[in-house]
Amino acid sequence: MKQYVIGRGVQSIVSLVALVVLVFFMARLTGSPADLYLPPDATADQVAQFNKLHGFDDPQIVQFGRFVAGFLQLDLGTSLQYSRPALEVVLTAFGTTLSLAAVAMPVILLLSILTGALAAWRPGGLFDRLASLISLISASTPNFWVAIVGVLVFAVTLRWLPTSGTGTPAHWVLPILVLALRPTGVMVQVVRTSMLEALSSAYVKSARAKGVRPSTIIFVHALRNALLPVVTVAADQAAGILNGAVIVEVVFGFPGVGKLMIDSVLLRDFAIIQAAVLVIGLAIFILNILVDIAYALIDPRIRHS
């Protein structure tokens, strides 16, 4: 088990380093920040002073070396927009995104497990067909389209919910629902398929023959054995929520790390871009490692392989 965890950790670190290197050099392909942060009539001397002040006049390999040296001291540079340490700005926004995901994920799990389990109890029935149809539609509908329609219907037309911001609990309703829609559709299909296999097993047939209540068979006997693939897909969906939050945060003006990253790309705030990618990547890799460990603990065949 120890070797398994070390192996997964090394793989994750290598992937994270490759991601950060790629983002570092690709961000600089967008152009010089001096074009955005200085007035259009700035002189060549002013541009040169700006680049020298922020280290943009050095070769990119030198800038990268400076970034690595700073990273080893947990210093990811200073934001051009906020004039604050980039890591501090990103961690503040990341907390908001985590709050969004922390509310969305239980909603996803609750809805998908209940719907998928009940749909699998009577395959081909009315509830199963409705659940399958709705879950397929929700799983294949893009987040940005749902977000725009949600704003038009519930915020602009009905005026039930605010269009953007985070001031009240009502501001969280639409972002959470939009964020949860697609993962719920995917998870319903996974739970249903896994439950169909569990419900066709011998021990469930034996429980049915003994007259055990359906709710006990579904949620006590079958569901526990059907959760293994659900755990893996749930982890993928959790990582997808972090990615999907970018669109949701931009549409709803939600001050999370996704919106911060998009704004930083547009404003060529390299320090924020690098810090945001590093923090999001690190969070996803930690999540994947935890799930791999949980998966290996549940199924010993995985760690032996």
Side-chain angles (χ1 to χ4, degrees):
M1 186 65 191
K2 185 178 178 181
Q3 291 180 339
Y4 177 80
V5 173
I6 293 174
R8 291 293 295 130
V10 170
Q11 289 176 14
S12 299
I13 290 172
V14 170
S15 302
L16 186 59
V17 169
L19 177 65
V20 171
V21 172
L22 185 66
V23 168
F24 181 91
F25 289 104
M26 286 190 69
R28 280 153 179 77
L29 295 178
T30 58
S32 172
D35 298 338
L36 298 176
Y37 291 88
L38 292 180
D41 57 350
T43 64
D45 287 342
Q46 289 174 314
V47 172
Q49 287 178 0
F50 178 89
N51 288 333
K52 185 177 181 180
L53 177 65
H54 297 284
F56 297 140
D57 57 342
D58 293 326
Q60 289 191 6
I61 192 67
V62 174
Q63 296 181 42
F64 181 71
R66 192 162 52 232
F67 167 74
V68 172
F71 168 75
L72 295 176
Q73 304 174 43
L74 292 181
D75 179 7
L76 299 183
T78 302
S79 165
L80 294 174
Q81 306 171 64
Y82 302 98
S83 299
R84 290 167 52 199
L87 185 59
E88 179 184 312
V89 176
V90 169
L91 288 179
T92 301
F94 188 64
T96 305
T97 299
L98 277 186
S99 302
L100 195 63
V103 178
M105 201 63 204
V107 173
I108 295 167
L109 290 174
L110 182 64
L111 288 177
S112 59
I113 289 177
L114 277 176
T115 307
L118 294 176
W121 179 247
R122 296 189 186 283
L126 178 61
F127 183 81
D128 180 32
R129 283 182 287 175
L130 279 175
S132 297
L133 177 64
I134 295 172
S135 64
L136 286 174
I137 292 174
S138 60
S140 56
T141 305
N143 274 353
F144 73 89
W145 187 84
V146 178
I148 293 171
V149 171
V151 169
L152 287 175
V153 174
F154 296 104
V156 177
T157 304
L158 299 176
R159 297 181 182 277
W160 289 352
L161 296 168
T163 55
S164 63
T166 57
T168 66
H171 287 89
W172 291 63
V173 175
L174 273 178
I176 288 172
L177 290 179
V178 172
L179 202 56
L181 186 65
R182 189 174 183 279
T184 301
V186 174
M187 290 288 294
V188 165
Q189 292 298 314
V190 174
V191 174
R192 179 185 177 277
T193 303
S194 187
M195 282 293 292
L196 282 175
E197 185 177 347
L199 290 172
S200 63
S201 59
Y203 68 90
V204 170
K205 291 178 180 176
S206 174
R208 278 178 165 173
K210 292 177 181 177
V212 178
R213 289 187 304 174
S215 59
T216 304
I217 294 176
I218 293 174
F219 296 108
V220 176
H221 297 293
L223 184 59
R224 185 172 55 187
N225 294 301
L227 283 180
L228 193 59
V230 176
V231 169
T232 305
V233 178
D236 289 339
Q237 295 305 313
I241 285 177
L242 292 178
N243 294 326
V246 174
I247 295 172
V248 171
E249 289 171 0
V250 170
V251 172
F252 293 103
F254 214 83
V257 71
K259 184 176 184 302
L260 175 68
M261 192 159 59
I262 294 296
D263 292 343
S264 300
V265 169
L266 296 176
L267 293 173
R268 297 173 190 167
D269 195 341
F270 299 151
I272 291 288
I273 297 171
Q274 292 154 192
V277 170
L278 188 62
V279 169
I280 293 175
L282 193 60
I284 291 175
F285 289 136
I286 289 174
L287 180 64
N288 286 333
I289 288 176
L290 291 177
V291 172
D292 285 344
I293 293 173
Y295 206 88
L297 289 173
I298 295 171
D299 189 349
R301 294 172 299 177
I302 294 173
R303 58 175 183 264
H304 290 317
S305 64

